[in-house]
Amino acid sequence: MDPVAALEESLKKTLGGTTAKVLAEHLGLHTVGDLLHHYPRRYAERGELTRLADLPLDEHVTVVAQVSDARVLTFNGGRGKRLEVTLTDGSGRLQLVFFGKGVHKPHKELLPGRRAMFAGKVSVFNRKLQLAHPEYALLDQEADSEAVDAFAGQLIPIYPACQQMASWKLAKAVDAVLPSAQEAVDPLPDALREGRALVPLPEALLKIHRPGTKADIADARARLKWDEAFVLQVALARRRIAETQLPAVPRPLSKDGILDAFDAELPFTLTEGQQKVSREIFDDLATDHPMHRLLQGEVGSGKTMVALRAMLGVVDSGGQAAMLAPTEVLAQQHHRSITEMMGELAEGGMLGGAEHGTKVVLLTGSMGTAARRQALLDLVTGEAGIVIGTHALIEDKVQFHDLGLVVVDEQHRFGVEQRDALRGKGHSQGEKRMPHLLVMTATPIPRTVAMTVFGDLETSVLDQLPAGRSPIASHVVPAKDKPHFLARAWERVREEVAAGHQGYVVCPRIGDEEEPAKGSGKKSAAGKEEPPPDGEEKRPPLAVLDIAAQLTAGPLAGLRVAALHGRMAPDDKDDVMRRFAAGELDVLVATTVIEVGVNVPNATAMVIMDADRFGVSQLHQLRGRVGRGAAPGLCLLVSEMPEASPARARLAAVAGTLDGFELSRIDLEQRREGDVLGQAQSGVRSSLRMLSVIDDEEVIAAAREEATAVVTADPALDGHPELRTALSALLDAEREEYLDKG
């Protein structure tokens, strides 16, 4: 039989319709290959032998003991049967119970005086320890210690199961298809496998499902992780190479243009990191295939400055640059800060503008018709060198004169399709050319995730904060255990305002969406809580409108407090932001609309209410909004969760470090990969089963190197038919399309 066909065979044929239906519907397993790649989650050991006197409750144990008596009891008027067997090993006694049809075999075999080995989970019934339906193996009178050890040491695979199909039934199903593992096509090139001392694939599949020893499991895991990492990295390497075949207009640096004029005016020097990353970007822009770069940088590390210099470099070479922001508030902010940074250079073609200047236009969905018409005109004539906008930039009506660079801010908020649509707008002298692409994110992405999810982008990291940035002190405020801590938090905000500074209060909800759940604990801003009756729902998250009203009437009475949230009219939002930036407001009570891009150097304090309802990365982003000036920042994370809860551990981690990369690792460990890889792991077939993007950094990095070497030498993989087969299995249609748009 064709080896590929052996693993593609339907489970219906091998296991019968009923079992196959359950596996398909509940576990997504359709073929022999699917089932072989459904690996055990862990292995139960029948374990070291335990003395009856030392039995731990609720644990799986293995004991060797002698049957002292056995009796069958009936119940339900004789319809039900129960077998009770008492064991002794000289140190203590233990009861076994068997019910129903499970009574017959042990009743015949477990006779008084017989010795046997028993494995099961210890529970308590009528104040006596017992094992219900244990597995057992009879021992001869002369049972040698080897037999005892072999039974006790056996590793029992525990599979990810479902209610309709228990782990031991899955194990039986795997037994039925295990012979097909011999037919598994090995995607790893021989030289690579031998060079890295990895076992062949059929052997790995055998060892993962039916290990004899723990060393077998380790061998199998090492091999299967390599498969996943390598095939995925080959897919990404092929994409990177395909990118280099696409045409783009080179945008080399030119002397004495707008960029030099801008640099000459800078009131500070760029950090070493900014200079290094700028060089990487300018090198990419000078080539005749599209740049494809991910720029990661902590909140406040100066990414916008690096992106602006890249845009000015492209304008110097005769092209245009577009910056795509996820929200209108952010697009307006970028427009404001970029025109401020550029000064008269942003007034090209206007009276009083610099001779090298260019126009910087804003394009958002809520602009008036006249302003919008003018912006579109400036783009199509090339009058505007830089445009900043939301996804309104992607609409069909928007035409560019010569789009040379697309900068995407906060990658994770844009669909791949949106990024793609904007890149499709690049053309030069009438022919279609891909613009260069720079993707920015302030959410630090651990290196391994960057290699896995953004593996088709080259990565640059800004990890130094510019001079003049102040440290941020972060503390957890346990509002329920210590209400006076919350009262003190509001005092601290008042102290910051008294010192001439400003503050933020962040809440998870706006507040006019729905009625609070009945009987939920209402919370006053002063920290007094009327607890909900036991068993009631967890109260709804705190809301901006409620907290703003409570603060104005209570702890922050007399201060100038305003609310800001996403459902306000754009003009109202702008007005509040402008007043806050101008220092006309003391405290802004807001939702996460302030998470990215709000820059008010005078804001030094932030109180995050219900902080446990935010993710680690989000808390880190929010915190980056304070301490942006010369005065030190303060961030207070308010939570009612009990001290021992995972939520509090998460908050303690955020309070304990300002290193975003460290926090993104913690975040990933808590949420596990699936969540973070999200859409990039679309398609059931391709999800990572064995590989952990956190723990397997070395494997991923090594696989990336090997994959790049293989694909560079043989882009079509003509010499690696097995690898091509594995690749087409990984890249189902949906994922192929996803990668193509990445």
Side-chain angles (χ1 to χ4, degrees), residues 277-307:
V277 170
S278 287
R279 280 195 298 276
E280 292 171 349
I281 291 172
F282 287 126
D283 288 349
D284 284 358
L285 288 173
T287 60
D288 56 8
H289 55 82
M291 164 169 83
H292 221 77
R293 191 168 281 282
L294 173 71
L295 172 56
Q296 299 188 61
E298 284 288 4
V299 173
S301 57
K303 293 185 302 298
T304 311
M305 174 58 73
V306 169

mmCIF file of all heavy atoms in Angstrom, residues 277-307:
data_model
loop_
_atom_site.group_PDB
_atom_site.id
_atom_site.type_symbol
_atom_site.label_atom_id
_atom_site.label_comp_id
_atom_site.label_asym_id
_atom_site.label_seq_id
_atom_site.Cartn_x
_atom_site.Cartn_y
_atom_site.Cartn_z
ATOM 1 N N VAL A 277 18.490 50.235 14.695
ATOM 2 C CA VAL A 277 17.268 49.796 14.010
ATOM 3 C C VAL A 277 17.045 50.640 12.749
ATOM 4 O O VAL A 277 16.656 50.120 11.697
ATOM 5 C CB VAL A 277 16.056 49.876 14.964
ATOM 6 C CG1 VAL A 277 14.750 49.658 14.211
ATOM 7 C CG2 VAL A 277 16.192 48.850 16.080
ATOM 8 N N SER A 278 17.322 51.941 12.834
ATOM 9 C CA SER A 278 17.175 52.803 11.648
ATOM 10 C C SER A 278 18.067 52.315 10.510
ATOM 11 O O SER A 278 17.651 52.273 9.356
ATOM 12 C CB SER A 278 17.528 54.255 11.980
ATOM 13 O OG SER A 278 16.490 54.828 12.757
ATOM 14 N N ARG A 279 19.317 51.923 10.865
ATOM 15 C CA ARG A 279 20.230 51.422 9.811
ATOM 16 C C ARG A 279 19.652 50.167 9.151
ATOM 17 O O ARG A 279 19.676 50.034 7.933
ATOM 18 C CB ARG A 279 21.618 51.112 10.402
ATOM 19 C CG ARG A 279 22.488 52.358 10.585
ATOM 20 C CD ARG A 279 23.951 51.976 10.803
ATOM 21 N NE ARG A 279 24.151 51.171 12.014
ATOM 22 C CZ ARG A 279 24.284 51.695 13.249
ATOM 23 N NH1 ARG A 279 24.227 53.012 13.420
ATOM 24 N NH2 ARG A 279 24.462 50.910 14.295
ATOM 25 N N GLU A 280 19.109 49.240 9.990
ATOM 26 C CA GLU A 280 18.519 48.002 9.429
ATOM 27 C C GLU A 280 17.392 48.344 8.454
ATOM 28 O O GLU A 280 17.277 47.770 7.372
ATOM 29 C CB GLU A 280 17.957 47.115 10.556
ATOM 30 C CG GLU A 280 19.022 46.527 11.474
ATOM 31 C CD GLU A 280 18.446 45.835 12.729
ATOM 32 O OE1 GLU A 280 17.242 45.976 13.018
ATOM 33 O OE2 GLU A 280 19.226 45.146 13.408
ATOM 34 N N ILE A 281 16.564 49.323 8.856
ATOM 35 C CA ILE A 281 15.410 49.688 8.017
ATOM 36 C C ILE A 281 15.877 50.343 6.717
ATOM 37 O O ILE A 281 15.396 50.013 5.626
ATOM 38 C CB ILE A 281 14.461 50.626 8.798
ATOM 39 C CG1 ILE A 281 13.782 49.832 9.927
ATOM 40 C CG2 ILE A 281 13.410 51.249 7.886
ATOM 41 C CD1 ILE A 281 12.976 50.674 10.899
ATOM 42 N N PHE A 282 16.843 51.264 6.812
ATOM 43 C CA PHE A 282 17.303 51.957 5.595
ATOM 44 C C PHE A 282 18.004 50.991 4.634
ATOM 45 O O PHE A 282 17.894 51.126 3.421
ATOM 46 C CB PHE A 282 18.185 53.165 5.946
ATOM 47 C CG PHE A 282 17.393 54.325 6.508
ATOM 48 C CD1 PHE A 282 17.724 54.911 7.727
ATOM 49 C CD2 PHE A 282 16.290 54.826 5.814
ATOM 50 C CE1 PHE A 282 16.975 55.964 8.247
ATOM 51 C CE2 PHE A 282 15.536 55.880 6.327
ATOM 52 C CZ PHE A 282 15.878 56.455 7.539
ATOM 53 N N ASP A 283 18.699 49.994 5.195
ATOM 54 C CA ASP A 283 19.315 48.970 4.324
ATOM 55 C C ASP A 283 18.226 48.221 3.559
ATOM 56 O O ASP A 283 18.350 47.960 2.363
ATOM 57 C CB ASP A 283 20.141 47.963 5.149
ATOM 58 C CG ASP A 283 21.439 48.593 5.664
ATOM 59 O OD1 ASP A 283 21.768 49.707 5.196
ATOM 60 O OD2 ASP A 283 22.103 47.981 6.536
ATOM 61 N N ASP A 284 17.142 47.852 4.271
ATOM 62 C CA ASP A 284 16.039 47.126 3.618
ATOM 63 C C ASP A 284 15.368 47.979 2.540
ATOM 64 O O ASP A 284 15.008 47.488 1.475
ATOM 65 C CB ASP A 284 14.946 46.760 4.648
ATOM 66 C CG ASP A 284 15.352 45.583 5.522
ATOM 67 O OD1 ASP A 284 16.447 45.045 5.295
ATOM 68 O OD2 ASP A 284 14.573 45.212 6.431
ATOM 69 N N LEU A 285 15.176 49.268 2.856
ATOM 70 C CA LEU A 285 14.454 50.143 1.922
ATOM 71 C C LEU A 285 15.233 50.335 0.616
ATOM 72 O O LEU A 285 14.650 50.633 -0.420
ATOM 73 C CB LEU A 285 14.206 51.519 2.563
ATOM 74 C CG LEU A 285 13.150 51.567 3.676
ATOM 75 C CD1 LEU A 285 13.135 52.939 4.343
ATOM 76 C CD2 LEU A 285 11.761 51.257 3.122
ATOM 77 N N ALA A 286 16.544 50.153 0.685
ATOM 78 C CA ALA A 286 17.366 50.414 -0.503
ATOM 79 C C ALA A 286 17.348 49.241 -1.486
ATOM 80 O O ALA A 286 17.885 49.332 -2.581
ATOM 81 C CB ALA A 286 18.803 50.716 -0.074
ATOM 82 N N THR A 287 16.719 48.106 -1.099
ATOM 83 C CA THR A 287 16.737 46.929 -1.991
ATOM 84 C C THR A 287 15.537 46.961 -2.931
ATOM 85 O O THR A 287 14.560 47.680 -2.689
ATOM 86 C CB THR A 287 16.665 45.617 -1.177
ATOM 87 O OG1 THR A 287 15.440 45.626 -0.436
ATOM 88 C CG2 THR A 287 17.827 45.491 -0.220
ATOM 89 N N ASP A 288 15.595 46.114 -3.986
ATOM 90 C CA ASP A 288 14.502 46.154 -4.968
ATOM 91 C C ASP A 288 13.445 45.079 -4.706
ATOM 92 O O ASP A 288 12.711 44.679 -5.581
ATOM 93 C CB ASP A 288 15.057 46.031 -6.396
ATOM 94 C CG ASP A 288 15.891 44.778 -6.561
ATOM 95 O OD1 ASP A 288 15.902 43.936 -5.626
ATOM 96 O OD2 ASP A 288 16.526 44.618 -7.620
ATOM 97 N N HIS A 289 13.411 44.554 -3.450
ATOM 98 C CA HIS A 289 12.261 43.716 -3.075
ATOM 99 C C HIS A 289 11.719 44.267 -1.759
ATOM 100 O O HIS A 289 12.435 44.932 -1.016
ATOM 101 C CB HIS A 289 12.649 42.237 -2.970
ATOM 102 C CG HIS A 289 13.776 41.978 -2.034
ATOM 103 N ND1 HIS A 289 13.610 41.862 -0.663
ATOM 104 C CD2 HIS A 289 15.106 41.845 -2.258
ATOM 105 C CE1 HIS A 289 14.779 41.645 -0.100
ATOM 106 N NE2 HIS A 289 15.697 41.640 -1.021
ATOM 107 N N PRO A 290 10.453 44.005 -1.452
ATOM 108 C CA PRO A 290 9.817 44.724 -0.346
ATOM 109 C C PRO A 290 10.418 44.386 1.012
ATOM 110 O O PRO A 290 10.650 43.211 1.316
ATOM 111 C CB PRO A 290 8.355 44.277 -0.394
ATOM 112 C CG PRO A 290 8.237 43.272 -1.463
ATOM 113 C CD PRO A 290 9.549 43.069 -2.126
ATOM 114 N N MET A 291 10.658 45.419 1.808
ATOM 115 C CA MET A 291 11.029 45.201 3.209
ATOM 116 C C MET A 291 9.829 44.564 3.903
ATOM 117 O O MET A 291 8.681 44.850 3.586
ATOM 118 C CB MET A 291 11.342 46.539 3.878
ATOM 119 C CG MET A 291 11.372 46.470 5.404
ATOM 120 S SD MET A 291 12.055 47.949 6.163
ATOM 121 C CE MET A 291 10.624 49.002 6.159
ATOM 122 N N HIS A 292 10.119 43.708 4.880
ATOM 123 C CA HIS A 292 9.063 43.001 5.603
ATOM 124 C C HIS A 292 9.563 42.913 7.025
ATOM 125 O O HIS A 292 10.125 41.902 7.424
ATOM 126 C CB HIS A 292 8.989 41.594 4.991
ATOM 127 C CG HIS A 292 7.595 41.114 4.822
ATOM 128 N ND1 HIS A 292 6.792 41.542 3.809
ATOM 129 C CD2 HIS A 292 6.844 40.250 5.547
ATOM 130 C CE1 HIS A 292 5.607 40.941 3.912
ATOM 131 N NE2 HIS A 292 5.615 40.168 4.965
ATOM 132 N N ARG A 293 9.423 43.996 7.807
ATOM 133 C CA ARG A 293 10.112 44.027 9.105
ATOM 134 C C ARG A 293 9.138 44.293 10.250
ATOM 135 O O ARG A 293 8.213 45.075 10.129
ATOM 136 C CB ARG A 293 11.213 45.098 9.078
ATOM 137 C CG ARG A 293 12.171 45.061 10.272
ATOM 138 C CD ARG A 293 13.395 45.943 10.057
ATOM 139 N NE ARG A 293 14.396 45.339 9.204
ATOM 140 C CZ ARG A 293 15.256 44.401 9.607
ATOM 141 N NH1 ARG A 293 15.241 43.979 10.847
ATOM 142 N NH2 ARG A 293 16.132 43.900 8.770
ATOM 143 N N LEU A 294 9.386 43.597 11.355
ATOM 144 C CA LEU A 294 8.605 43.791 12.583
ATOM 145 C C LEU A 294 9.472 44.598 13.542
ATOM 146 O O LEU A 294 10.602 44.203 13.835
ATOM 147 C CB LEU A 294 8.274 42.425 13.201
ATOM 148 C CG LEU A 294 7.597 42.440 14.572
ATOM 149 C CD1 LEU A 294 6.160 42.933 14.461
ATOM 150 C CD2 LEU A 294 7.598 41.043 15.202
ATOM 151 N N LEU A 295 8.949 45.735 14.012
ATOM 152 C CA LEU A 295 9.695 46.561 14.965
ATOM 153 C C LEU A 295 9.020 46.450 16.323
ATOM 154 O O LEU A 295 7.889 46.899 16.512
ATOM 155 C CB LEU A 295 9.707 48.019 14.480
ATOM 156 C CG LEU A 295 10.275 49.056 15.466
ATOM 157 C CD1 LEU A 295 11.689 48.701 15.894
ATOM 158 C CD2 LEU A 295 10.264 50.446 14.848
ATOM 159 N N GLN A 296 9.715 45.782 17.253
ATOM 160 C CA GLN A 296 9.161 45.645 18.601
ATOM 161 C C GLN A 296 9.842 46.642 19.495
ATOM 162 O O GLN A 296 11.050 46.781 19.443
ATOM 163 C CB GLN A 296 9.510 44.279 19.184
ATOM 164 C CG GLN A 296 8.993 43.109 18.437
ATOM 165 C CD GLN A 296 9.258 41.858 19.249
ATOM 166 O OE1 GLN A 296 8.767 41.740 20.348
ATOM 167 N NE2 GLN A 296 10.038 40.956 18.731
ATOM 168 N N GLY A 297 9.064 47.290 20.335
ATOM 169 C CA GLY A 297 9.711 48.195 21.283
ATOM 170 C C GLY A 297 8.786 48.450 22.434
ATOM 171 O O GLY A 297 7.576 48.569 22.261
ATOM 172 N N GLU A 298 9.366 48.536 23.605
ATOM 173 C CA GLU A 298 8.590 48.852 24.794
ATOM 174 C C GLU A 298 7.805 50.140 24.578
ATOM 175 O O GLU A 298 8.213 50.990 23.785
ATOM 176 C CB GLU A 298 9.557 49.105 25.968
ATOM 177 C CG GLU A 298 10.144 47.837 26.523
ATOM 178 C CD GLU A 298 9.118 47.046 27.304
ATOM 179 O OE1 GLU A 298 7.943 47.448 27.357
ATOM 180 O OE2 GLU A 298 9.497 46.019 27.853
ATOM 181 N N VAL A 299 6.743 50.284 25.331
ATOM 182 C CA VAL A 299 6.011 51.544 25.360
ATOM 183 C C VAL A 299 7.034 52.642 25.663
ATOM 184 O O VAL A 299 7.789 52.535 26.625
ATOM 185 C CB VAL A 299 4.972 51.506 26.502
ATOM 186 C CG1 VAL A 299 4.320 52.852 26.665
ATOM 187 C CG2 VAL A 299 3.936 50.430 26.221
ATOM 188 N N GLY A 300 7.089 53.659 24.805
ATOM 189 C CA GLY A 300 7.989 54.775 25.101
ATOM 190 C C GLY A 300 9.437 54.558 24.706
ATOM 191 O O GLY A 300 10.316 55.300 25.107
ATOM 192 N N SER A 301 9.713 53.524 23.875
ATOM 193 C CA SER A 301 11.121 53.307 23.509
ATOM 194 C C SER A 301 11.499 54.115 22.266
ATOM 195 O O SER A 301 12.619 54.059 21.792
ATOM 196 C CB SER A 301 11.370 51.816 23.247
ATOM 197 O OG SER A 301 10.484 51.369 22.238
ATOM 198 N N GLY A 302 10.537 54.861 21.726
ATOM 199 C CA GLY A 302 10.871 55.722 20.592
ATOM 200 C C GLY A 302 10.639 55.079 19.234
ATOM 201 O O GLY A 302 11.310 55.408 18.262
ATOM 202 N N LYS A 303 9.655 54.167 19.146
ATOM 203 C CA LYS A 303 9.353 53.526 17.851
ATOM 204 C C LYS A 303 8.850 54.548 16.840
ATOM 205 O O LYS A 303 9.203 54.501 15.678
ATOM 206 C CB LYS A 303 8.256 52.458 18.005
ATOM 207 C CG LYS A 303 8.634 51.261 18.801
ATOM 208 C CD LYS A 303 7.528 50.217 18.780
ATOM 209 C CE LYS A 303 6.214 50.734 19.295
ATOM 210 N NZ LYS A 303 6.234 51.161 20.697
ATOM 211 N N THR A 304 7.992 55.485 17.333
ATOM 212 C CA THR A 304 7.391 56.449 16.397
ATOM 213 C C THR A 304 8.479 57.274 15.723
ATOM 214 O O THR A 304 8.406 57.566 14.527
ATOM 215 C CB THR A 304 6.395 57.374 17.144
ATOM 216 O OG1 THR A 304 5.540 56.537 17.925
ATOM 217 C CG2 THR A 304 5.561 58.179 16.185
ATOM 218 N N MET A 305 9.503 57.615 16.507
ATOM 219 C CA MET A 305 10.624 58.395 15.945
ATOM 220 C C MET A 305 11.321 57.599 14.832
ATOM 221 O O MET A 305 11.624 58.130 13.752
ATOM 222 C CB MET A 305 11.614 58.717 17.083
ATOM 223 C CG MET A 305 12.894 59.392 16.646
ATOM 224 S SD MET A 305 12.606 60.941 15.795
ATOM 225 C CE MET A 305 12.130 61.984 17.158
ATOM 226 N N VAL A 306 11.557 56.306 15.085
ATOM 227 C CA VAL A 306 12.225 55.459 14.077
ATOM 228 C C VAL A 306 11.354 55.367 12.823
ATOM 229 O O VAL A 306 11.835 55.487 11.692
ATOM 230 C CB VAL A 306 12.498 54.046 14.664
ATOM 231 C CG1 VAL A 306 12.936 53.091 13.575
ATOM 232 C CG2 VAL A 306 13.559 54.133 15.760
ATOM 233 N N ALA A 307 10.038 55.170 13.024
ATOM 234 C CA ALA A 307 9.126 55.045 11.882
ATOM 235 C C ALA A 307 9.065 56.349 11.090
ATOM 236 O O ALA A 307 9.062 56.346 9.859
ATOM 237 C CB ALA A 307 7.731 54.668 12.382
#
